[in-house]
Amino acid sequence: MPLGASARRARARPWTASRGRAAAAQAARERAELERGIRFRSLYLTIMGVVLAVAAVNVLLGSVGLIQENRSRPLTDAERARYVAEDVARRWRAWPAGMVFPEELPYTALGRAQQYARRVGIAPEAACAAAVDSPVASVLRKHGCQAVLRATYVDQTSTFAVTVGVAVLPGEQARADAAGELPVDDRVGVRPVAFPGTVTDTFGAAQRQRTGWVGAGPYIVFSAVGYTDGRTRASVPLEEQVNSEMWPVAETVAGRIARALGEPPDVPRCTQGNVC
């Protein structure tokens, strides 16, 4: 042994068996990590599969529901009733003025002769309080009156003037409630509309001989009738009013307008027409 060799520490050299055990431990660790990664990946794929399956089922059910909803089917009684109510309720806006107030309306005169009342003019749409007398306006206001449409007619001989006023309520129930509270007084109602330069130019509140109303759908159709020559109610004997054909003319004209506004429309049998 060379001199001084004992003073130096000899370097340890690993045994072959030690290197084998270290490699085996490293391989075991790597296998464990690989297996853990495989388990996580399998769990992830399983969760994603479940999510995608649920989404696919939801899409399928939604598509089936949409197809069922869009498929033509018979209307229920409630749907038919709603269709009728909505159609009738929008007529005062949807119809042209000439449909609400036709140019001519037939009536039966004395002796059962068929005659025609002629429209003189149509007034602009008015607020409810401006188109009717105060006792009527308070009732209409209470029940949500939206507007009043008015037109004036004369009978075939131009002897009588009739102003018809259509009060628009929110619905049929509101109309029925309002009608039940209207004053029982034929001196108040719709305010007459006179058209200058025509035979109605003297027709005003004082010339009203009688007023009335009839209900249809969400509408109360008022009428006021008088003479075209300017005679006031006070100047006409009651007997003449009773025996005159004046009121039947007014009643017929207002009644025909009310029936047209409230006439139920043709309702389709199915949600997409008449083929289910």
Side-chain angles (χ1 to χ4, degrees), residues 62 67 126 152 190 208 227 234 242 247 260 269:
I67 292 171
T152 297
V190 65
R208 286 182 298 187
Y227 290 100
V242 172
W247 180 241
R269 293 190 300 108

Side-chain angles (χ1 to χ4, degrees), residues 98-167:
M99 282 187 67
V100 178
F101 299 114
E103 187 174 351
E104 289 188 338
L105 289 168
Y107 67 92
T108 303
L110 294 178
R112 306 194 63 80
Q114 180 75 47
Q115 296 190 349
Y116 290 87
R118 176 176 52 86
R119 188 188 69 215
V120 178
I122 300 175
E125 178 183 318
C128 301
V132 296
D133 295 309
S134 226
V136 177
S138 62
V139 174
L140 296 182
R141 187 184 308 110
K142 174 183 175 182
H143 294 282
C145 180
Q146 301 174 40
V148 174
L149 313 178
R150 290 181 294 172
T152 297
Y153 289 80
V154 292
D155 70 315
Q156 190 159 312
T157 64
S158 296
T159 302
F160 311 126
V162 183
T163 290
V164 179
V166 179

Side-chain angles (χ1 to χ4, degrees), residues 147-218:
V148 174
L149 313 178
R150 290 181 294 172
T152 297
Y153 289 80
V154 292
D155 70 315
Q156 190 159 312
T157 64
S158 296
T159 302
F160 311 126
V162 183
T163 290
V164 179
V166 179
V168 183
L169 280 299
E172 191 165 350
Q173 186 58 53
R175 185 268 299 167
D177 293 341
E181 298 178 21
L182 288 174
V184 183
D185 185 349
D186 67 0
R187 294 169 300 176
V188 298
V190 65
R191 292 176 178 168
V193 179
F195 291 90
T198 71
V199 293
T200 68
D201 59 2
T202 61
F203 185 41
Q207 285 70 40
R208 286 182 298 187
Q209 303 295 318
R210 190 171 177 180
T211 65
W213 60 268
V214 61

